[in-house]
């Protein structure tokens, strides 16, 4: 831009310390208009820059601002600048100044009328079919150059999806006429005829059909490794149909999702057929070519011309098999350990890019500070197998539906063995689930058709049983339920939407209903607690729903304000009075109310046993989180954050050992906890390291009045929490 950026200034030069953009029209986004200012103090590429005031750059900035306002419809806009020189202080070598730009846009011009000058009859017919809701230029709307460009791009894309392979937005021009004495503009859209090159004659725009699709290997001794049915479903371009740019992009995306392929390259070869026929025999020519009604052959001087494309899809495959080893260190409440995973993968199991994986995991942890137990160590072994199909595997699903979505189907089976000093646990799981998405609508879905979990407790230490399980109070009832054999058979559905500004997630799952139907129909046996059993094992029955919403408000380049809310409700019924521990909610921690440690808050005004964290009792059936976070760029890859969190958990039923934990409409808002804090993030692009420092502001679990509002009586040892996380909290 030609501005002067210096650390040292010549004698008499002024350093710019502040730049303001103000306007007398509240409809103007002054923050956006700052992007046209050529000299701004601040940060560039992570370094602080100092600009020497330059009158030429100021004049050019005024001209750029006038142009920007004109492009927004303010055709008679005026921009003025003023410079305020600060008084020199002791130690100042050069004077410092503040520059202010005053924007006087005036009244915006409106589009009064729009006409079309299209000398291609076929294109004229197509464009008249575009609904008004899809157009950017309509009568009565504010005139805007951005809308003109958007209209050109929309029309070009519209035609490119209907066979016009050679069309681009440069064939579209706009002529604008202002009406004297009125703030209105009359527009004329000109669609220029096709010319193959500068020396070629003008002619109607050619419309192409896809004649033939060929699948070719990547090169060398490679072969096309995918089945024909997979190739067909992955190809959105269709033989005998008009060329479509969207279908081309969709074909690239579908093949890119196939793990069996390294890359895909699609090329077209143009085919032009010309047949000379008498003028009264055109219908015969059209019949000979068997052209779709929407794509008729061109007719010039008694000639029938058909434009076609042969499509070559070149597929380069990956090596199908791989083995990976992943070591890791563990630290659970100060107990150190190590784990290692060995994974075998096959990326093309049935020649349809099905991904098969088999993972073996082993872990060991040395447990300290555990008295009264013979064995002091923790050992875990796990085996998990998955097969993922890159398509929807289900009966009665049409091929058109499969082509219109991006989907996967997954079958998983796993077995996990855990040996602790207190108990031994075995978990067997199997699931069949679907995932699919609609990329153009930013929406994705997940359906767990069936998810089975069998939890088996072959051994429990006598010490653990006596200390925690052999008691009739409600606290140990919750604890005991989670250390009994249990069968969970659930189904679930989830939906998520994310357009970069707003993100929503909704999920619901339910367990035990199908089994309960069979239990009632076939009179299953009951255990001593009155629960139906399957193979002498009680099954869980509950329903659980979660809703999560996030809104991102961009304030300036590098800074944003993020709002987040989450509500979750789970209800055990029928064969269960208590939720399985894994399905219960907890509050506090790096992704919740950050003034509390993980599982350190709630339910309600319950504060844990003797003020300590009680990981079993500090769980609930209802969860509410409300968060607000301001994020800003600092320097290099470092970002800062300031946040406020509000939330808590509650139980649906009253439990004697969780006093104050039950949700009540006339009480819950008084039991909302609040926290505030600051954080830093190291953003490396592909992952983010996060460090947050939270302080309690409002504590519903107070025993003394001073503890109720720690924001007025802070105590670091009591109210401070430090959190480390990977990725943003929401």
């Amino acid at each position: 831009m030609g501005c002067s950026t210096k650390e040292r200034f010549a004698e008499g030069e002024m350093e710019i310390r502040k730049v303001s953009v103000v306007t007398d029209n509240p409809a103007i986004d002054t923050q956006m208009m700052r992007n046209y200012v050529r000299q701004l103090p601040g940060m560039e590429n992570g370094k602080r820059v100092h600009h020497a005031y330059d009158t030429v750059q100021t004049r050019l900035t005024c001209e750029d601002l006038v142009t920007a306002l004109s492009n927004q419809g303010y055709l008679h806009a005026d921009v003025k600048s003023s410079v305020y020189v600060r008084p020199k202080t002791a130690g100042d070598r050069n004077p410092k100044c503040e520059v202010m730009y005053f924007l006087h846009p005036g009244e915006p011009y409106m589009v009064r009328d729009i006409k079309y000058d299209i000398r291609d009859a076929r294109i004229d017919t197509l464009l008249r079919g575009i609904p008004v809701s899809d157009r950017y230029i309509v009568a009565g709307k504010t005139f805007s150059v951005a809308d003109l460009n958007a209209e050109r791009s929309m029309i070009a894309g519209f035609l490119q999806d209907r066979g016009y392979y050679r069309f681009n937005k440069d064939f579209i021009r706009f002529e604008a006429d202002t009406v004297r004495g009125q703030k209105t503009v009359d527009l004329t859209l000109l669609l220029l005829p096709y010319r193959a090159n500068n020396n070629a004659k003008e002619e109607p725009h050619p419309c192409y059909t896809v004649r033939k699709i060929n699948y070719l290997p990547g090169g060398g001794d490679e072969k096309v490794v995918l089945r024909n049915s997979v190739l067909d479903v992955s190809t959105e371009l269709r033989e005998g149909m008009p060329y479509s740019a969207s279908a081309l992009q969709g074909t690239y995306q579908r093949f890119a999702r196939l793990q069996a392929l390294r890359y895909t390259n699609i090329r077209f070869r143009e085919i032009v057929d010309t047949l000379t026929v008498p003028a009264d025999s055109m219908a015969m020519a059209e019949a000979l070519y068997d052209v779709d009604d929407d794509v008729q052959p061109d007719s010039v001087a008694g000639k029938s011309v058909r434009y076609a494309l042969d499509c070559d899809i070149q597929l380069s495959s990956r090596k199908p098999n791989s083995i990976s080893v992943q070591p890791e260190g563990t630290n659970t409440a100060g107990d150190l350990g190590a784990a290692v995973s060995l994974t075998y993968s096959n990326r093309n199991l049935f020649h349809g890019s099905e991904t098969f994986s088999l993972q073996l995991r082993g872990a060991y942890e040395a447990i300290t500070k555990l008295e009264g137990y013979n064995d002091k160590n923790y050992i875990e072994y796990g085996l998990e197998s998955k097969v993922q199909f890159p398509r929807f595997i289900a009966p009665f699903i049409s091929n058109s539906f499969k082509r219109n979505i991006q989907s996967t189907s997954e079958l998983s089976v796993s077995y996990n063995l855990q040996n602790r000093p207190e108990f031994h646990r075995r978990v067997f799981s199997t699931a069949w689930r679907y995932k699919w998405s609609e990329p153009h609508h930013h929406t994705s879905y997940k359906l767990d058709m069936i998810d089975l979990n069998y939890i088996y407790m072959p051994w429990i230490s006598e010490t653990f049983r006596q200390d925690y399980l052999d008691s009739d109070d409600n606290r140990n009832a919750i604890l005991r339920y989670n250390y009994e054999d249990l069968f969970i058979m659930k189904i679930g559905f989830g939906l998520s939407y994310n357009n970069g500004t707003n993100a929503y997630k909704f999920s619901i799952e339910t367990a035990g209903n199908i089994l309960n139907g069979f239990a009632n129909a076939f009179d299953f046996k009951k255990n001593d607690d009155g629960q139906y059993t399957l193979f002498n094992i009680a099954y869980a029955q509950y329903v659980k729903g979660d809703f999560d919403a996030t809104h991102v408000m961009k304030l300036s380049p590098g800074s944003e304000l993020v709002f987040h809310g989450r509500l979750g409700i789970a209800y055990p019924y029928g064969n269960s009075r208590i939720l399985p521990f894994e399905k219960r909610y907890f509050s506090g921690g790096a992704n919740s109310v950050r003034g509390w440690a993980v599982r350190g808050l709630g339910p309600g005004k319950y504060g844990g046993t003797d003020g300590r964290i009680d990981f079993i009792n500090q769980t609930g059936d209802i969860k509410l989180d409300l968060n607000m976070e301001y994020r800003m760029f600092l320097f290099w890859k470092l970002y800062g954050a300031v946040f406020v969190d509000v939330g808590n958990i509650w139980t649906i039923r009253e439990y004697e050992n969780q006093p104050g934990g039950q949700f009540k409409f006339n009480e819950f808002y008084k039991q909302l906890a609040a926290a505030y804090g600051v954080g830093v993030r190291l953003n490396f692009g592909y992952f983010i390291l996060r460090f947050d420092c939270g302080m309690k502001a409002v504590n519903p679990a107070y025993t003394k009045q001073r503890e109720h509002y720690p924001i007025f009586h802070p105590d670091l040892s009591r109210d401070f929490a430090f959190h480390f996380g990977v990725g943003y909290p929401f």
Side-chain angles (χ1 to χ4, degrees):
M1 291 185 181
C3 56
S4 176
T5 304
K6 302 182 179 180
E7 292 296 331
R8 297 181 180 273
F9 299 91
E11 189 67 31
E13 285 187 318
M14 292 189 298
E15 178 187 350
I16 297 177
R17 278 304 177 94
K18 183 179 179 181
V19 172
S20 303
V21 179
V22 297
T23 180
D24 55 8
N25 187 335
I28 300 300
D29 184 351
T30 55
Q31 190 64 39
M32 185 273 291
M33 298 302 290
R34 284 177 63 90
N35 295 328
Y36 297 95
V37 178
R38 295 180 174 237
Q39 291 181 297
L40 282 172
M43 306 293 296
E44 289 183 10
N45 298 323
K47 296 181 179 180
R48 184 167 294 281
V49 296
H50 303 276
H51 291 141
Y53 176 71
D54 186 335
T55 57
V56 174
Q57 296 302 315
T58 301
R59 177 177 57 80
L60 293 175
T61 293
C62 290
E63 294 175 0
D64 291 344
L65 289 169
V66 168
T67 300
L69 290 170
S70 297
N71 289 342
Q72 295 179 44
Y74 300 94
L75 301 185
H76 291 162
D78 181 48
V79 176
K80 290 182 171 60
S81 64
S82 68
V83 180
Y84 166 71
V85 181
R86 294 180 180 178
K88 291 184 66 173
T89 59
D92 282 347
R93 178 179 176 182
N94 294 86
K96 297 174 176 56
C97 67
E98 299 178 8
V99 183
M100 182 175 288
Y101 295 94
F102 299 90
L103 312 185
H104 303 282
E107 293 295 324
Y109 276 65
M110 311 297 289
V111 176
R112 188 181 72 167
D113 187 32
I114 180 169
K115 298 178 181 179
Y116 298 89
D117 185 359
I118 301 173
R119 301 173 187 176
D120 188 311
R122 186 190 305 161
I123 291 181
D124 183 55
T125 301
L126 288 173
L127 296 188
R128 290 182 186 278
I130 300 177
V132 175
S133 59
D134 290 344
R135 294 186 177 275
Y136 294 88
I137 303 296
V138 293
K141 189 176 181 181
T142 301
F143 172 78
S144 166
V145 172
D147 284 343
L148 297 183
N149 290 329
E151 183 83 0
R152 293 171 67 217
S153 298
M154 182 274 294
I155 291 174
F158 179 84
L159 294 175
Q160 288 168 0
D161 284 345
R162 286 156 179 80
Y164 290 89
Y165 173 67
R166 290 290 183 183
F167 195 89
N168 61 71
K169 65 180 183 180
D170 292 335
F171 287 109
I172 301 173
R173 299 276 198 279
F174 279 100
E175 291 182 351
D177 292 325
T178 57
V179 181
R180 182 178 300 236
Q182 300 182 33
K183 304 289 186 180
T184 57
V185 178
D186 289 340
L187 295 173
T188 301
L189 184 151
L190 302 174
L191 193 141
L192 306 178
Y194 177 74
R195 295 176 64 181
N197 54 63
N198 292 334
N199 299 321
K201 66 177 182 178
E202 295 181 350
E203 57 182 301
H205 287 269
C207 189
Y208 291 81
T209 59
V210 178
R211 189 182 72 166
K212 181 69 175 175
I213 297 177
N214 304 302
Y215 300 98
L216 307 174
D221 297 329
E222 283 191 39
K223 297 180 180 179
V224 177
V225 296
L226 301 175
R227 299 193 310 272
N228 290 336
S229 59
V230 176
L231 296 173
D232 181 68
V233 170
S234 301
T235 305
E236 293 191 14
L237 293 163
R238 312 306 297 170
E239 292 182 355
M241 297 298 292
Y243 164 81
S244 168
S246 295
L248 172 62
Q249 186 63 31
T251 302
Y252 268 117
Q253 292 174 351
R254 287 179 177 276
F255 278 112
R257 294 175 58 247
L258 301 181
Q259 295 296 312
L261 301 178
R262 183 186 298 114
Y263 67 83
T264 303
N265 184 32
I266 302 177
R267 295 176 297 182
F268 293 97
R269 289 176 284 116
E270 296 185 45
I271 308 297
V272 180
D273 294 335
T274 303
L275 179 65
T276 302
V277 294
D280 58 356
S281 301
M282 288 305 302
M284 182 186 299
E286 294 172 5
L288 288 173
Y289 282 105
D290 192 24
V291 180
D292 191 289
D293 291 340
D294 293 333
V295 189
Q296 297 296 331
D298 292 302
S299 302
V300 181
K303 294 184 178 180
S304 175
V305 182
R306 187 183 75 160
Y307 298 91
L309 296 171
D310 281 355
C311 176
D312 294 333
I313 301 179
Q314 187 179 40
L315 306 171
S316 179
S317 59
R318 298 177 184 269
K319 292 182 178 180
N321 300 307
S322 66
I323 296 178
S324 62
V325 179
Q326 182 178 356
E328 60 183 279
T330 62
N331 184 343
T332 306
D335 295 331
L336 301 179
V340 63
S341 298
L342 178 67
T343 305
Y344 164 77
S345 298
N346 184 308
R347 300 185 182 91
N348 199 23
L349 184 64
F350 303 120
H351 298 286
S353 196
E354 302 86 359
T355 302
F356 169 77
S357 65
L358 183 66
Q359 183 184 77
L360 176 65
R361 185 179 188 273
Y364 173 85
E365 194 168 81
I367 298 179
T368 59
K369 301 178 183 179
L370 191 63
E371 302 297 332
Y373 296 90
N374 295 327
D375 193 353
K376 301 295 184 182
N377 301 320
Y378 167 73
I379 298 174
E380 177 184 352
Y381 298 104
L383 182 66
E384 182 179 34
S385 178
K386 289 183 181 179
V387 180
Q388 189 177 83
F389 303 85
R391 54 194 173 277
F392 217 101
I393 305 295
F396 314 116
I397 300 296
S398 66
N399 286 335
S400 62
F401 175 78
K402 294 179 182 179
R403 291 192 189 101
N404 290 332
I405 64 170
Q406 297 179 358
S407 61
T408 59
S409 306
E410 181 182 281
L411 172 66
S412 64
V413 180
S414 66
Y415 177 76
N416 185 263
L417 177 151
Q418 304 169 12
N419 286 349
R420 289 187 58 88
E422 310 97 320
F423 55 82
H424 292 175
R425 184 197 298 263
R426 310 289 184 260
V427 181
F428 174 80
S429 302
T430 184
W432 177 258
R433 58 179 56 94
Y434 298 104
K435 297 178 183 179
W436 70 98
S437 61
E438 300 177 63
H440 301 300
H441 297 91
H442 313 288
T443 308
S444 59
Y445 307 87
K446 178 182 176 181
L447 175 63
D448 293 332
M449 283 295 294
I450 188 167
D451 190 333
L452 304 177
N453 291 270
Y454 169 48
I455 302 168
Y456 174 54
M457 305 291 296
W459 176 81
I460 297 177
S461 162
E462 286 300 319
T463 302
F464 185 79
R465 188 182 298 277
Q466 293 173 7
D467 290 348
Y468 296 100
L469 305 183
D470 290 342
S471 173
D472 293 329
D473 65 33
N474 280 300
R475 174 185 176 219
N476 284 348
I478 297 174
L479 184 63
R480 185 170 58 247
Y481 180 75
N482 289 282
Y483 289 93
E484 295 176 347
D485 297 348
L486 185 65
F487 189 73
I488 303 174
M489 177 180 176
K490 76 177 184 72
I491 59 175
F493 174 77
L495 179 152
S496 62
Y497 170 89
N498 190 339
N499 65 1
T501 299
N502 296 301
Y504 306 102
K505 295 180 181 179
F506 167 78
S507 66
I508 186 169
E509 67 178 67
T510 182
N513 294 327
I514 297 176
L515 290 176
N516 205 60
F518 282 110
N520 286 301
F522 297 101
D523 195 20
F524 284 13
K525 291 182 180 179
K526 292 186 177 182
N527 60 19
D528 295 338
D529 295 325
Q531 295 173 297
Y532 284 114
T533 61
L534 178 66
F535 308 120
N536 295 321
I537 301 169
Y539 58 84
Q541 191 171 6
Y542 64 87
V543 62
K544 182 179 182 181
D546 290 275
F547 178 74
D548 191 292
T550 303
H551 174 70
V552 179
M553 182 184 297
K554 295 286 185 182
L555 301 179
S556 65
S559 70
E560 59 189 22
L561 188 62
V562 185
F563 301 90
H564 171 259
R566 179 188 177 188
L567 175 65
I569 302 175
Y571 179 67
Y573 62 96
N575 214 46
S576 298
R577 283 195 71 253
I578 302 169
L579 281 172
F581 181 74
E582 293 79 5
K583 300 301 178 181
R584 298 177 69 85
Y585 296 106
F586 63 88
S587 193
N591 299 319
S592 185
V593 186
R594 283 166 280 185
W596 279 259
V598 62
R599 301 182 188 273
L601 173 61
K605 59 183 180 181
Y606 174 73
T609 305
D610 298 327
R612 299 189 302 270
I613 292 177
D614 184 341
F615 78 97
I616 288 291
N617 263 9
Q618 297 204 264
T619 58
D621 310 313
I622 301 173
K623 178 174 178 136
L624 176 64
D625 272 339
L626 300 171
N627 314 88
M628 181 173 67
E629 183 169 286
Y630 173 65
R631 301 167 182 168
M632 79 293 287
F633 171 75
L634 299 177
F635 61 91
W636 186 53
K637 299 183 182 298
L638 197 65
Y639 289 73
V642 180
F643 58 82
V644 176
D645 301 326
V646 177
N648 207 333
I649 56 172
W650 295 267
T651 61
I652 289 180
R653 296 186 174 94
E654 179 75 40
Y655 294 104
E656 181 179 346
N657 284 72
Q658 292 177 309
Q662 186 182 24
F663 180 89
K664 297 178 181 179
F665 280 103
N666 62 342
E667 293 286 338
F668 84 94
Y669 62 92
K670 303 175 185 177
Q671 299 168 357
L672 289 172
Y676 61 96
V678 298
V680 294
R681 290 91 167 88
L682 280 169
N683 190 339
F684 296 100
Y686 50 93
F687 76 97
I688 296 171
L689 297 179
R690 173 165 56 92
F691 307 89
D692 286 335
C693 299
M695 285 287 292
K696 296 181 178 68
V698 179
N699 182 7
Y702 61 94
T703 56
K704 301 177 182 178
Q705 194 61 37
R706 288 176 59 88
E707 296 175 356
H708 190 189
Y709 296 102
I711 189 171
F712 301 123
H713 310 285
D715 183 339
L716 282 177
S717 63
R718 179 194 65 196
D719 303 325
F720 175 79
F722 174 77
H723 304 284
F724 166 75
V726 178
Y728 287 118
F730 40 81

